[in-house]
Amino acid sequence: MARNEEKAQSMLNRFIALKAEEKKKPKERRPFLASECRDLSEADKWRQQIMREIGRKVAEIQNEGLGEHRLRDLNDEINKLIREKSHWERRIVELGGPNYARHSAKMTDLEGNIVDVPNPGGRGPGYRYFGAAKKLPGVRELFEKPPELRKRRTRYDIYKRIDASYYGYRDDEDGVLERLEGPAEEKMRREAAEEWMRLEEVRKEAQKSVKSGEVAMVSAAAREILHEEEEEVVEEERREREMRERAEEKEREFVVHVPLPDEKEIEKMVLEKKKMELLSKYASEGLLEEQTEAKDMLNIHR
């Protein structure tokens, strides 16, 4: 009994659904050409419809298990819808609507970087690959970056990177030598001070022994120090004697007793000589004699 009720219920449900479909308007088809649309709202509606279809197909193409042929067909359909969408966007702009193409998304590679794949035909946007279609044979190579060729450096490039640090002139600025040389310098100063104090004590002891006449009691170190002091005194005397001899040699230098003309007198003599050459070149002998007689009469001697 229950089985018959279920059958009747299902028949009723189908009848109600059929009547509802009859009451609906026939499904409107999208125009084949975007130029046939004259209404901006209609053009925007068809663009939204194409966007939904593209979204469904892009979600479907993410499945790598569809197979190579199905993936290629889906990718072709998506590119066809994208071209159609661009037609409707241009038509929307012609009808006075917004420009959707200005903010369109760029194509990316497998790592998410934006790439530009031109269209071989030269018309419209370039052919794009989506989802699992990017990993198909022959397509992956389009997104792989070519290996960078290592350019050989020229001599100019090598010398351009050479600065003072290359020659070690800035080694003192990094603080490494300062940390290493600090303790060593203190140690050397301390040893030098101790050695100087020890030698000073030995020198004082030797001088006391020499003054008191106890030369035999002087130690070997004291004798050595006294000998060094004597050598220093002898060397100092020798240097003073050499300096005196040099001073005496300078005093014995040959002195010319004939007075020599200075620079002004030489310039005056050269100028007079040039004047005489010019006069002899451009003036006659008679004119020179008249000039000489005039100077004698006027008592001009120059």
Side-chain angles (χ1 to χ4, degrees):
M1 188 67 181
R3 181 65 177 169
N4 295 333
E5 290 180 0
E6 291 177 1
K7 288 181 180 180
Q9 186 70 21
S10 63
M11 290 289 291
L12 179 62
N13 291 337
R14 288 199 297 272
F15 178 75
I16 293 171
L18 183 61
K19 288 297 182 182
E21 289 290 336
E22 290 177 356
K23 291 179 180 178
K24 288 182 180 180
K25 295 180 180 180
K27 190 173 182 181
E28 192 175 4
R29 289 187 60 185
R30 186 169 64 241
F32 182 75
L33 296 176
S35 57
E36 297 178 357
C37 182
R38 307 295 181 185
D39 189 8
L40 178 60
S41 59
E42 289 290 327
D44 198 6
K45 182 183 72 173
W46 298 129
R47 178 184 175 277
Q48 294 295 333
Q49 185 183 24
I50 295 173
M51 293 287 292
R52 288 192 293 271
E53 292 180 9
I54 292 174
R56 287 196 299 270
K57 292 184 182 295
V58 169
E60 184 181 358
I61 204 173
Q62 304 299 324
N63 186 6
E64 298 182 7
L66 294 177
E68 180 179 351
H69 298 289
R70 178 57 183 162
L71 290 174
R72 291 186 183 275
D73 292 341
L74 276 174
N75 201 77
D76 292 339
E77 294 173 5
I78 293 171
N79 279 275
K80 183 179 178 181
L81 289 172
I82 289 174
R83 287 195 297 272
E84 189 175 356
K85 179 176 73 70
S86 64
H87 296 328
W88 283 104
E89 287 174 352
R90 285 196 297 271
R91 183 58 182 169
I92 289 172
V93 174
E94 292 174 358
L95 294 174
N99 188 5
Y100 295 104
R102 185 181 301 172
H103 307 288
S104 60
K106 303 294 183 181
M107 186 174 61
T108 58
D109 57 7
L110 298 176
E111 300 176 356
N113 301 320
I114 297 175
V115 296
D116 183 18
V117 179
N119 186 15
R123 294 180 297 175
Y127 191 87
R128 302 182 181 183
Y129 293 91
F130 301 89
K134 293 181 180 180
K135 301 180 182 179
L136 293 175
V139 180
R140 183 186 293 270
E141 289 77 4
L142 296 176
F143 299 96
E144 290 180 353
K145 296 179 180 180
E148 296 181 358
L149 298 177
R150 189 172 181 180
K151 186 179 178 181
R152 185 176 180 181
R153 292 191 301 171
T154 61
R155 186 180 295 273
Y156 171 75
D157 296 333
I158 294 173
Y159 282 109
K160 187 169 62 175
R161 294 176 174 84
I162 295 177
D163 53 3
S165 300
Y166 177 83
Y167 294 103
Y169 292 138
R170 296 178 181 170
D171 291 345
D172 299 338
E173 299 178 4
D174 55 3
V176 177
L177 289 176
E178 187 177 356
R179 291 195 299 270
L180 296 176
E181 292 179 353
E185 185 178 359
E186 292 180 1
K187 182 180 178 182
M188 292 175 63
R189 287 177 179 275
R190 187 171 57 254
E191 292 177 353
E194 293 175 356
E195 181 68 18
W196 183 82
M197 292 175 66
R198 186 183 66 81
L199 294 175
E200 192 67 20
E201 292 177 356
V202 173
R203 186 181 292 107
K204 290 179 180 179
E205 180 184 353
Q207 290 176 356
K208 289 180 181 179
S209 301
V210 171
K211 289 180 181 179
S212 60
E214 300 175 355
V215 181
M217 301 297 294
V218 178
S219 61
R223 290 196 189 96
E224 185 178 355
I225 292 173
L226 291 174
H227 182 66
E228 291 178 356
E229 289 183 351
E230 291 177 357
E231 289 182 351
E232 290 177 358
V233 173
V234 172
E235 184 67 22
E236 186 68 23
E237 292 178 353
R238 186 181 63 80
R239 284 198 294 268
E240 291 179 357
R241 187 170 59 256
E242 289 179 356
M243 291 176 65
R244 285 196 302 271
E245 290 177 356
R246 289 176 184 174
E248 292 176 357
E249 288 179 358
K250 288 183 178 180
E251 292 178 356
R252 289 196 302 268
E253 288 181 355
F254 178 74
V255 179
V256 179
H257 299 284
V258 179
L260 298 176
D262 56 359
E263 294 182 359
K264 292 183 178 180
E265 293 179 355
I266 293 173
E267 291 178 358
K268 186 177 179 180
M269 293 170 62
V270 172
L271 185 60
E272 291 292 336
K273 186 177 180 181
K274 288 183 177 180
K275 284 182 179 180
M276 294 301 297
E277 290 178 355
L278 291 173
L279 288 173
S280 62
K281 184 176 181 180
Y282 296 104
S284 61
E285 295 181 358
L287 182 61
L288 291 175
E289 291 177 358
E290 291 178 359
Q291 185 179 4
T292 306
E293 292 176 358
K295 285 183 179 181
D296 292 339
M297 293 173 62
L298 296 174
N299 197 14
I300 300 174
H301 301 285
R302 61 174 183 176

